[in-house]
Amino acid sequence: MNRVLRPFAYTRTAADWPYVAAVTALVIAALWVIWQAPPPGQRSGMELALRGGALCAAATAIGALPVLVMRTIPQRLADGLLGFGAGVMLAATAFSLVLPGLAAAEAQGFSPWGAAGLVSTGILLGALALLALDRGLVDDPLDAQRRLVPSRVMLFVLAIVLHNVPEGMAVGVAAGGALSGAAGLAIGIALQDIPEGLVVALVLATAGMARSKAVFLGALSGMAEPLAAIPSAWAVGVSSMLLPWGLAFAAGAMLIAVGHSVIPESNRHGHGGIASLGLAVGFCLMMALDTALG
């Protein structure tokens, strides 16, 4: 059952160039923010959050760019890439959010049981918040690609943006809390944003949208991450008491994004083995990054 995403025809026109120019400008601006960051010892939590969010946005845009020239992608590969992203997000949830959240709660004077209760409450609040927002858009956002019509294109894009929010929150909370693994978390999420940007742009293109516009919207979806990272960093910077809550809330939102949408979608087309292998690879890569850079 090695199905492929439906091929799509394309003829480049003058109307494509504004979209291509916009994506190029987005990538250049994000890379400029990263390059202009102050030396490590002089960076505030907000600056780290902006830098990490810009890295994720640039990775999403770079991932979407190949759709300008490629015709299709094997469904098996697409499912493996989704599994890879799920693995990165799961490892980030465990090693970069839950464990530091428990440590932060204990550092504030909570007992091990109290810290576990606080983090569990935060996880459930984050999960419920994302489920509520998710239901407000569409019952199963990633399922929209199977029934996508022009009038539902923006709904699909909004659903993808929603699932980028917890990633940005995680980057922002880790940066605002000056966690040692903040850099590894941002790099890991940026790595999984590359295939995510590719898949989003391909889905929009196969739904009948011009490639240039599909790439633009795929790249634009990554802007949710810096936009979520900066206020998250500000919140935990205002009061250190919010750090374990912020980490746990982001972890709960990430868990729902993975379990409710990404994993089911990666297994939908009969390539569960490839998707599961991708999940394991992504998990190990994120774990290694957290260990090496933490």
Side-chain angles (χ1 to χ4, degrees), residues 97-137:
L97 297 176
V98 173
L99 292 180
L102 290 169
E106 291 186 15
Q108 292 178 4
F110 287 88
S111 68
W113 281 104
L118 184 156
V119 171
S120 295
T121 302
I123 288 173
L124 292 174
L125 289 174
L128 290 172
L130 192 68
L131 281 174
L133 290 172
D134 200 29
R135 180 161 296 190
L137 289 176

Short mmCIF file of all heavy atoms in Angstrom, two decimals, residues 97-137:
data_model
loop_
_atom_site.label_atom_id
_atom_site.label_comp_id
_atom_site.label_asym_id
_atom_site.label_seq_id
_atom_site.Cartn_x
_atom_site.Cartn_y
_atom_site.Cartn_z
N LEU A 97 10.48 19.36 29.17
CA LEU A 97 9.36 20.04 29.81
C LEU A 97 8.97 19.39 31.14
O LEU A 97 8.98 20.06 32.18
CB LEU A 97 8.15 20.07 28.86
CG LEU A 97 8.35 20.84 27.55
CD1 LEU A 97 7.13 20.72 26.65
CD2 LEU A 97 8.65 22.31 27.83
N VAL A 98 8.62 18.10 31.12
CA VAL A 98 8.13 17.46 32.35
C VAL A 98 9.23 17.36 33.41
O VAL A 98 9.03 17.77 34.57
CB VAL A 98 7.54 16.08 32.04
CG1 VAL A 98 7.20 15.35 33.34
CG2 VAL A 98 6.29 16.21 31.17
N LEU A 99 10.39 16.81 33.05
CA LEU A 99 11.45 16.65 34.04
C LEU A 99 11.94 18.00 34.59
O LEU A 99 12.06 18.15 35.81
CB LEU A 99 12.61 15.85 33.44
CG LEU A 99 12.32 14.37 33.15
CD1 LEU A 99 13.55 13.68 32.57
CD2 LEU A 99 11.87 13.65 34.43
N PRO A 100 12.20 19.01 33.74
CA PRO A 100 12.55 20.32 34.31
C PRO A 100 11.42 20.94 35.13
O PRO A 100 11.67 21.65 36.11
CB PRO A 100 12.86 21.18 33.07
CG PRO A 100 13.23 20.19 32.03
CD PRO A 100 12.38 19.00 32.29
N GLY A 101 10.17 20.67 34.74
CA GLY A 101 9.04 21.17 35.51
C GLY A 101 9.00 20.59 36.91
O GLY A 101 8.76 21.30 37.90
N LEU A 102 9.25 19.29 37.01
CA LEU A 102 9.31 18.64 38.32
C LEU A 102 10.46 19.22 39.15
O LEU A 102 10.30 19.50 40.35
CB LEU A 102 9.50 17.14 38.15
CG LEU A 102 8.29 16.37 37.60
CD1 LEU A 102 8.71 14.94 37.22
CD2 LEU A 102 7.16 16.34 38.62
N ALA A 103 11.62 19.40 38.52
CA ALA A 103 12.77 19.96 39.23
C ALA A 103 12.49 21.38 39.69
O ALA A 103 12.86 21.76 40.82
CB ALA A 103 14.01 19.92 38.33
N ALA A 104 11.84 22.19 38.86
CA ALA A 104 11.53 23.57 39.22
C ALA A 104 10.55 23.62 40.38
O ALA A 104 10.67 24.46 41.28
CB ALA A 104 10.97 24.32 38.02
N ALA A 105 9.56 22.72 40.37
CA ALA A 105 8.58 22.68 41.47
C ALA A 105 9.25 22.29 42.78
O ALA A 105 8.99 22.88 43.83
CB ALA A 105 7.45 21.72 41.13
N GLU A 106 10.14 21.31 42.73
CA GLU A 106 10.84 20.89 43.95
C GLU A 106 11.76 22.00 44.45
O GLU A 106 11.92 22.19 45.66
CB GLU A 106 11.62 19.61 43.69
CG GLU A 106 10.72 18.39 43.47
CD GLU A 106 11.51 17.09 43.37
OE1 GLU A 106 12.69 17.09 43.74
OE2 GLU A 106 10.95 16.09 42.90
N ALA A 107 12.35 22.75 43.51
CA ALA A 107 13.22 23.86 43.91
C ALA A 107 12.43 24.97 44.60
O ALA A 107 13.00 25.75 45.38
CB ALA A 107 13.94 24.43 42.69
N GLN A 108 11.13 25.04 44.34
CA GLN A 108 10.28 26.02 44.99
C GLN A 108 9.76 25.54 46.34
O GLN A 108 8.98 26.24 46.99
CB GLN A 108 9.11 26.39 44.07
CG GLN A 108 9.53 27.15 42.82
CD GLN A 108 8.37 27.45 41.89
OE1 GLN A 108 7.22 27.16 42.20
NE2 GLN A 108 8.67 28.06 40.74
N GLY A 109 10.17 24.34 46.76
CA GLY A 109 9.81 23.85 48.08
C GLY A 109 8.76 22.76 48.10
O GLY A 109 8.38 22.29 49.17
N PHE A 110 8.28 22.34 46.93
CA PHE A 110 7.29 21.27 46.89
C PHE A 110 7.96 19.93 47.18
O PHE A 110 9.11 19.70 46.79
CB PHE A 110 6.61 21.22 45.52
CG PHE A 110 5.63 22.33 45.27
CD1 PHE A 110 6.05 23.55 44.75
CD2 PHE A 110 4.29 22.17 45.57
CE1 PHE A 110 5.16 24.58 44.52
CE2 PHE A 110 3.38 23.20 45.35
CZ PHE A 110 3.83 24.40 44.83
N SER A 111 7.22 19.05 47.84
CA SER A 111 7.69 17.68 48.02
C SER A 111 7.61 16.96 46.69
O SER A 111 6.97 17.45 45.75
CB SER A 111 6.82 16.97 49.06
OG SER A 111 5.50 16.78 48.54
N PRO A 112 8.25 15.78 46.57
CA PRO A 112 8.12 15.03 45.31
C PRO A 112 6.67 14.78 44.92
O PRO A 112 6.32 14.90 43.73
CB PRO A 112 8.88 13.74 45.60
CG PRO A 112 9.92 14.14 46.61
CD PRO A 112 9.26 15.16 47.46
N TRP A 113 5.83 14.43 45.90
CA TRP A 113 4.41 14.21 45.59
C TRP A 113 3.73 15.53 45.21
O TRP A 113 2.91 15.57 44.29
CB TRP A 113 3.70 13.59 46.79
CG TRP A 113 3.93 12.12 46.93
CD1 TRP A 113 4.74 11.49 47.81
CD2 TRP A 113 3.35 11.09 46.12
NE1 TRP A 113 4.71 10.13 47.63
CE2 TRP A 113 3.86 9.84 46.60
CE3 TRP A 113 2.45 11.07 45.05
CZ2 TRP A 113 3.49 8.63 46.05
CZ3 TRP A 113 2.08 9.86 44.50
CH2 TRP A 113 2.60 8.65 44.98
N GLY A 114 4.08 16.61 45.90
CA GLY A 114 3.49 17.90 45.57
C GLY A 114 3.91 18.38 44.19
O GLY A 114 3.10 18.93 43.44
N ALA A 115 5.20 18.17 43.86
CA ALA A 115 5.68 18.55 42.53
C ALA A 115 4.97 17.75 41.45
O ALA A 115 4.58 18.30 40.41
CB ALA A 115 7.20 18.33 42.44
N ALA A 116 4.79 16.44 41.70
CA ALA A 116 4.08 15.61 40.73
C ALA A 116 2.64 16.07 40.56
O ALA A 116 2.11 16.09 39.43
CB ALA A 116 4.12 14.15 41.17
N GLY A 117 2.00 16.46 41.66
CA GLY A 117 0.63 16.94 41.57
C GLY A 117 0.53 18.25 40.80
O GLY A 117 -0.37 18.43 39.98
N LEU A 118 1.48 19.17 41.07
CA LEU A 118 1.48 20.45 40.35
C LEU A 118 1.68 20.24 38.86
O LEU A 118 0.92 20.78 38.04
CB LEU A 118 2.59 21.34 40.92
CG LEU A 118 2.71 22.77 40.39
CD1 LEU A 118 3.40 23.66 41.41
CD2 LEU A 118 3.48 22.84 39.07
N VAL A 119 2.69 19.44 38.50
CA VAL A 119 2.98 19.22 37.08
C VAL A 119 1.83 18.47 36.40
O VAL A 119 1.46 18.79 35.27
CB VAL A 119 4.31 18.47 36.92
CG1 VAL A 119 4.52 18.03 35.47
CG2 VAL A 119 5.48 19.36 37.35
N SER A 120 1.25 17.51 37.09
CA SER A 120 0.12 16.77 36.52
C SER A 120 -1.06 17.71 36.26
O SER A 120 -1.73 17.62 35.21
CB SER A 120 -0.32 15.65 37.45
OG SER A 120 0.70 14.69 37.58
N THR A 121 -1.32 18.61 37.20
CA THR A 121 -2.40 19.58 37.01
C THR A 121 -2.13 20.47 35.81
O THR A 121 -3.02 20.73 34.98
CB THR A 121 -2.58 20.43 38.27
OG1 THR A 121 -2.84 19.59 39.40
CG2 THR A 121 -3.72 21.42 38.11
N GLY A 122 -0.88 20.95 35.70
CA GLY A 122 -0.53 21.79 34.57
C GLY A 122 -0.66 21.06 33.24
O GLY A 122 -1.12 21.62 32.25
N ILE A 123 -0.24 19.78 33.22
CA ILE A 123 -0.36 18.98 32.00
C ILE A 123 -1.82 18.85 31.58
O ILE A 123 -2.17 19.03 30.40
CB ILE A 123 0.28 17.60 32.20
CG1 ILE A 123 1.80 17.71 32.26
CG2 ILE A 123 -0.13 16.63 31.08
CD1 ILE A 123 2.50 16.41 32.62
N LEU A 124 -2.68 18.56 32.55
CA LEU A 124 -4.10 18.40 32.22
C LEU A 124 -4.71 19.71 31.76
O LEU A 124 -5.54 19.73 30.84
CB LEU A 124 -4.85 17.86 33.44
CG LEU A 124 -4.50 16.42 33.83
CD1 LEU A 124 -5.20 16.03 35.14
CD2 LEU A 124 -4.89 15.45 32.72
N LEU A 125 -4.31 20.82 32.36
CA LEU A 125 -4.82 22.12 31.92
C LEU A 125 -4.39 22.42 30.49
O LEU A 125 -5.18 22.90 29.66
CB LEU A 125 -4.33 23.22 32.86
CG LEU A 125 -4.95 23.25 34.26
CD1 LEU A 125 -4.26 24.29 35.12
CD2 LEU A 125 -6.45 23.53 34.17
N GLY A 126 -3.12 22.14 30.17
CA GLY A 126 -2.64 22.35 28.81
C GLY A 126 -3.35 21.46 27.81
O GLY A 126 -3.70 21.90 26.70
N ALA A 127 -3.59 20.21 28.20
CA ALA A 127 -4.28 19.28 27.32
C ALA A 127 -5.71 19.74 27.06
O ALA A 127 -6.19 19.74 25.91
CB ALA A 127 -4.28 17.89 27.94
N LEU A 128 -6.40 20.14 28.11
CA LEU A 128 -7.79 20.59 27.96
C LEU A 128 -7.87 21.86 27.13
O LEU A 128 -8.78 22.02 26.32
CB LEU A 128 -8.42 20.81 29.34
CG LEU A 128 -8.69 19.55 30.16
CD1 LEU A 128 -9.13 19.92 31.58
CD2 LEU A 128 -9.76 18.69 29.49
N ALA A 129 -6.90 22.77 27.31
CA ALA A 129 -6.91 24.01 26.55
C ALA A 129 -6.75 23.74 25.06
O ALA A 129 -7.48 24.31 24.23
CB ALA A 129 -5.80 24.93 27.05
N LEU A 130 -5.81 22.87 24.69
CA LEU A 130 -5.61 22.60 23.27
C LEU A 130 -6.79 21.85 22.68
O LEU A 130 -7.20 22.11 21.54
CB LEU A 130 -4.32 21.80 23.04
CG LEU A 130 -3.90 21.76 21.57
CD1 LEU A 130 -3.47 23.14 21.09
CD2 LEU A 130 -2.80 20.75 21.33
N LEU A 131 -7.38 20.92 23.44
CA LEU A 131 -8.56 20.22 22.95
C LEU A 131 -9.71 21.18 22.71
O LEU A 131 -10.45 21.06 21.72
CB LEU A 131 -8.97 19.14 23.95
CG LEU A 131 -8.18 17.83 23.92
CD1 LEU A 131 -8.62 16.92 25.06
CD2 LEU A 131 -8.35 17.11 22.58
N ALA A 132 -9.88 22.15 23.61
CA ALA A 132 -10.95 23.13 23.44
C ALA A 132 -10.73 23.98 22.20
O ALA A 132 -11.65 24.21 21.41
CB ALA A 132 -11.05 24.01 24.69
N LEU A 133 -9.50 24.45 22.00
CA LEU A 133 -9.19 25.23 20.80
C LEU A 133 -9.33 24.39 19.54
O LEU A 133 -9.82 24.85 18.51
CB LEU A 133 -7.78 25.80 20.90
CG LEU A 133 -7.57 26.91 21.95
CD1 LEU A 133 -6.10 27.24 22.07
CD2 LEU A 133 -8.36 28.16 21.58
N ASP A 134 -8.89 23.14 19.64
CA ASP A 134 -8.96 22.21 18.52
C ASP A 134 -10.40 22.01 18.08
O ASP A 134 -10.72 22.07 16.89
CB ASP A 134 -8.35 20.88 18.96
CG ASP A 134 -7.94 20.03 17.77
OD1 ASP A 134 -7.61 20.61 16.73
OD2 ASP A 134 -7.94 18.81 17.90
N ARG A 135 -11.28 21.81 19.04
CA ARG A 135 -12.68 21.58 18.71
C ARG A 135 -13.32 22.80 18.11
O ARG A 135 -14.24 22.72 17.30
CB ARG A 135 -13.43 21.15 19.96
CG ARG A 135 -14.90 20.87 19.72
CD ARG A 135 -15.49 20.04 20.83
NE ARG A 135 -14.89 18.72 20.88
CZ ARG A 135 -15.36 17.72 21.64
NH1 ARG A 135 -16.42 17.91 22.39
NH2 ARG A 135 -14.76 16.56 21.64
N GLY A 136 -12.81 23.98 18.48
CA GLY A 136 -13.35 25.20 17.92
C GLY A 136 -13.05 25.37 16.44
O GLY A 136 -13.73 26.11 15.74
N LEU A 137 -12.01 24.66 15.95
CA LEU A 137 -11.66 24.76 14.53
C LEU A 137 -12.29 23.63 13.72
O LEU A 137 -13.04 23.84 12.79
CB LEU A 137 -10.14 24.73 14.37
CG LEU A 137 -9.40 25.99 14.84
CD1 LEU A 137 -7.91 25.79 14.72
CD2 LEU A 137 -9.84 27.18 14.02
#
